[in-house]
Amino acid sequence: APESKWHYRALLAAGKQSIVVDFERENDVDRLVAVLGQADVALISSDWAADLSEKLRAALKNTAILCDLTAFGGSGPLAGQRYTDSMLQACSGLMDTTGSSEGPPTLTQVPITECCAAVFATAGILSALRSRSRFTTQTVEVALFDTAVSMLSTFLPAHFVGECPTRIGNRHTAMSPWNAYRAQDGWVLLCSASNDMWRRVCDVIERSDLKSDARFATMGGRVTLAAEVDAAIQPWVNTHAVSECVQRFSAAGIACGPVYAVE
């Protein structure tokens, strides 16, 4: 079907070997059972395994290492729900931390929960392979929701002290200046992580008056007044090319790099 992954097989299955199995045909099921019997590791998603035959379920149960990747895990009120990556970004809070404060919650477009769940699954499988001499069978369970929540580590500390963390664009929750700025011929990302760096930023943009401005003397003050800090930096960046911005800030020991388009 056009809406299925099979439609994009040439892209998604590059470098993989596959077999087509019709679960209604006994010979096909037996063939898959034989493959599982020779496998070191099998990966499944039990969210989508409701129609498997008892023979196939038994083969999976006897696989040396079985990795089950699901949306919400094997227990809990949402267990078995077939949520997509986008839906998980939404319900985990990730979507509300992505985008600008003036705009709506924003999807990453990259299937970030699936990609990170794959990393966790790899770590779990490698651990199981390392210890397989001690166990007959092992199960690795990875939930995409758990993975998504783990990516909120920058935001959760503020929540637990009574604040309401949400999307802030390219700014940083605890450091300023930290943002993308428009240059003459593109964009640059500037990251300043200390009071000393701030003073060096002031030197580069030729605003020595800002170094003695008490409002910006501390990191906390600059984070609170991030919009004003950005407004002070943007005019200088806007009159210089990306390459010159990167060279000048980098020479001053401040992290700065170009923002490249995909092309």
Side-chain angles (χ1 to χ4, degrees), residues 53-99:
S53 66
E54 288 301 319
K55 182 186 292 186
L56 197 49
R57 288 182 181 277
L60 287 169
K61 185 177 181 180
N62 291 323
T63 301
I65 298 170
L66 180 65
C67 180
D68 189 6
L69 294 120
T70 61
F72 295 100
S75 61
L78 293 176
Q81 292 290 319
R82 297 175 177 180
Y83 269 41
T84 65
D85 182 275
S86 297
M87 293 164 66
L88 282 157
Q89 287 188 48
C91 75
S92 66
L94 275 183
M95 192 171 168
D96 190 47
T97 66
T98 308

Side-chain angles (χ1 to χ4, degrees), residues 105-166:
T106 305
L107 292 170
T108 65
Q109 300 303 319
V110 176
I112 190 70
T113 62
E114 291 183 356
C115 292
C116 289
V119 174
F120 288 161
T122 300
I125 289 169
L126 289 174
S127 297
L129 286 168
R130 180 75 173 178
S131 58
R132 61 180 167 177
S133 62
R134 298 166 52 197
F135 303 97
T136 304
T137 60
Q138 299 179 80
T139 301
V140 177
E141 293 188 355
V142 178
L144 272 68
F145 181 77
D146 298 349
T147 302
V149 171
S150 76
M151 288 186 278
L152 294 173
S153 57
T154 302
F155 298 88
L156 290 177
H159 164 76
F160 285 115
V161 295
E163 299 178 11
C164 297
T166 185

Side-chain angles (χ1 to χ4, degrees), residues 10-23:
L11 173 65
L12 297 174
K16 300 176 183 177
Q17 295 181 347
S18 304
I19 60 172
V20 178
V21 175
D22 182 348
F23 291 133

Side-chain angles (χ1 to χ4, degrees), residues 25-32:
R25 298 178 60 181
E26 194 70 20
N27 288 343
D28 279 10
V29 173
D30 289 342
R31 186 182 179 195
L32 183 55

